[in-house]
């Protein structure tokens, strides 16, 4: 039986990834923080837990040694661009430096056990930042515009370094992906939860930042499926994971109100400058030709379906 170690299992993607791996008969291990509030509610009993923190290299090394995995999926980190502007130093350590500790632990295990270890890093479209081309692909120059993007860019390069060294080290360059499991700290879930509240009559206004930013939004379970294909690929490589369609935040808001049955919504939305970022990537759209052609991946849900699924979930939460 193959085994996998996941970091970030209490997050949106980690939860879907654990379910996918378990359904394929893979023995799932996870690194979790002692203080993780979500830990007890959300992690299934078939997961073997290893206590650790990205801020403690020794705890990462111990989790890798104790789980002795065939696959390592490194999903943990500060994943919010907005939070990275508030805590740039912590973001550098957790989202950037810690990836070096994880890679070194995987490499050392491979060397000492003689058993190959495959490492997949959750990289991000934010490494392209103020992208010099649209759509972006695996060859687009890296040009981050936020502390989060810079930390992810450093981690992305380190994965390439360990690949050259002889580790199966790959990345999924993930564009934004959503689901009902997205926390409300992210704008998409803030929108769907806010729209559901307005539809239910418990709120009268949605306050947002920049409505003109354009993002390429996909369905989280599809993106996790891509990470599994990447770990099982013949060759370790970088793969853009994206739908190839971009929409403005304003369009996301419109689709959410439509899903809730509200057609006249403009007066219900106000822009609050406090939610604007110091610098924002204006237009993200990914070209995922490589993973489609090499690994047979494709997205299964379209933009409107993703927004509807999230709004319907938030409406159900309010009514239950
Ligand atoms: P998420 O929901 O924010 O989950 C983040 C995870 O990281 C949580 O399990 C959290 O655990 C863990 N974590 C944070 N700090 C930690 C620390 N110091 N030590 C150990 N664990 C820590 O993120 P996600 O949306 O699932 O994203 C997964 C990965 O994909 C992230 O690396 C993200 O940057 C990347 N990515 C995501 C998107 C997207 O649209 N979702 C796009 C591009 C890239 P606690 O429960 O302990 O807080």
């Amino acid at each position: 039986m193959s085994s996998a170690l996941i970091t970030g299992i209490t997050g949106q993607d980690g939860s879907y990834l654990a379910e996918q791996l378990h359904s394929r008969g893979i023995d799932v291990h996870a690194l979790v923080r002692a203080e993780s509030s979500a830990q007890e509610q959300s992690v299934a009993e078939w997961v073997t837990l290893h206590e650790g923190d990205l801020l403690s290299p020794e705890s990462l090394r111990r989790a890798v040694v104790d789980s002795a995995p065939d696959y390592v999926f490194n999903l943990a980190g500060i994943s919010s661009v907005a939070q990275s502007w508030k805590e740039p130093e912590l973001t550098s350590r957790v989202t950037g430096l810690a990836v070096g500790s994880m890679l070194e632990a995987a490499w050392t295990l491979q060397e000492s056990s003689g058993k190959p270890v495959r490492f997949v890093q959750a990289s991000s479209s934010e490494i392209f930042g103020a992208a010099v081309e649209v759509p972006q692909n695996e060859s687009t120059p890296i040009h981050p515009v936020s502390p989060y993007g810079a930390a992810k860019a450093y981690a992305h390069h380190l994965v390439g370094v360990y690949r050259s060294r002889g580790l199966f080290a790959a990345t999924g360059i993930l564009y934004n992906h959503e689901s009902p499991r997205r926390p409300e700290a992210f704008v998409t879930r803030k929108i769907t939860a806010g729209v559901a509240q307005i539809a239910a009559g418990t709120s009268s206004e949605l306050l947002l930042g920049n409505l003109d930013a354009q993002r390429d939004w996909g369905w989280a379970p599809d993106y996790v499926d891509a990470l599994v294909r990447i770990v099982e690929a013949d060759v370790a490589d970088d793969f853009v994971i994206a739908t190839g369609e971009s929409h403005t935040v304003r369009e996301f808001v419109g689709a959410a109100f439509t899903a809730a049955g509200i057609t006249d919504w403009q007066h219900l939305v106000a822009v609050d400058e406090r939610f604007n970022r110091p610098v924002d990537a204006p237009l993200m759209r990914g070209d995922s030709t490589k993973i489609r052609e090499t690994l047979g991946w494709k997205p299964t849900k379209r933009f409107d379906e993703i927004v509807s699924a999230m709004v319907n979930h938030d409406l159900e939460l309010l009514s239950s």
Side-chain angles (χ1 to χ4, degrees):
M1 186 193 249
S2 302
S3 64
L5 174 66
I6 302 174
T7 70
I9 197 168
T10 55
Q12 170 186 256
D13 294 0
S15 65
Y16 285 119
L17 178 62
E19 288 162 13
Q20 283 201 18
L21 295 175
H22 181 63
S23 72
R24 295 165 75 97
I26 293 172
D27 182 22
V28 179
H29 294 249
L31 176 98
V32 283
R33 287 196 279 187
E35 73 272 25
S36 174
S37 56
Q39 183 181 329
E40 289 194 356
Q41 299 105 44
S42 67
V43 179
E45 72 292 347
W46 38 259
V47 177
T48 307
L49 300 179
H50 301 264
E51 205 172 292
D53 192 308
L54 293 176
L55 291 169
S56 156
E58 176 51 28
S59 73
L60 303 183
R61 194 193 62 75
R62 209 172 40 242
V64 170
V65 168
D66 291 349
S67 56
D70 299 288
Y71 306 147
V72 176
F73 291 92
N74 188 43
L75 308 185
I78 288 175
S79 65
S80 148
V81 174
Q83 190 185 346
S84 82
W85 282 109
K86 289 182 192 135
E87 297 182 278
E89 189 187 330
L90 184 66
T91 304
S92 312
R93 293 172 66 200
V94 166
T95 302
L97 277 181
V99 182
S101 307
M102 287 299 296
L103 283 161
E104 183 61 25
W107 168 256
T108 305
L109 174 68
Q110 175 170 287
E111 287 297 285
S112 62
S113 67
K115 181 183 85 158
V117 178
R118 292 181 166 224
F119 187 100
V120 174
Q121 161 71 3
S123 192
S124 166
S125 56
E126 292 287 332
I127 65 175
F128 301 130
V132 297
E133 59 189 6
V134 179
Q136 301 88 39
N137 62 36
E138 294 79 6
S139 308
T140 299
I142 291 178
H143 185 189
V145 293
S146 66
Y148 170 80
K152 282 288 189 191
Y154 170 73
H156 189 85
H157 286 308
L158 260 189
V159 172
V161 168
Y162 275 80
R163 189 184 306 153
S164 309
R165 194 178 185 187
L167 186 70
F168 182 106
T171 66
I173 306 172
L174 303 161
Y175 280 62
N176 291 49
H177 47 280
E178 312 299 322
S179 76
R181 297 186 193 175
R182 192 70 139 149
E184 280 189 36
F186 291 84
V187 70
T188 46
R189 186 72 193 286
K190 176 180 173 183
I191 293 168
T192 61
V195 166
Q197 283 162 18
I198 291 172
T202 57
S203 167
S204 57
E205 192 180 49
L206 185 56
L207 283 181
L208 296 168
N210 179 11
L211 296 179
D212 296 319
Q214 295 190 49
R215 294 290 178 268
D216 178 333
W217 278 295
W219 180 236
D222 287 345
Y223 286 46
V224 160
D225 167 51
L227 296 179
V228 175
R229 287 170 192 259
I230 290 171
V231 89
E232 291 177 344
D234 292 338
V235 180
D237 210 339
D238 301 315
F239 293 94
V240 161
I241 307 169
T243 70
E245 245 184 57
S246 47
H247 295 269
T248 60
V249 175
R250 185 178 282 99
E251 287 170 323
F252 195 107
V253 174
F257 276 111
T258 303
I262 301 171
T263 44
D264 180 18
W265 55 266
Q266 273 79 1
H267 65 289
L268 300 169
V269 178
V271 170
D272 186 333
E273 302 277 313
R274 283 175 307 161
F275 295 121
N276 284 348
R277 295 167 183 168
V279 188
D280 208 0
L283 169 55
M284 301 265 77
R285 187 188 309 148
D287 172 0
S288 55
T289 305
K290 182 170 162 182
I291 190 166
R292 289 175 194 242
E293 291 185 350
T294 320
L295 304 180
W297 176 83
K298 62 175 192 302
T300 64
K301 263 199 206 299
R302 294 182 56 89
F303 176 71
D304 287 348
E305 296 173 314
I306 296 166
V307 180
S308 292
M310 294 173 71
V311 170
N312 290 338
H313 174 80
D314 284 322
L315 285 169
E316 274 165 30
L317 280 183
L318 285 177
S319 67
S320 62

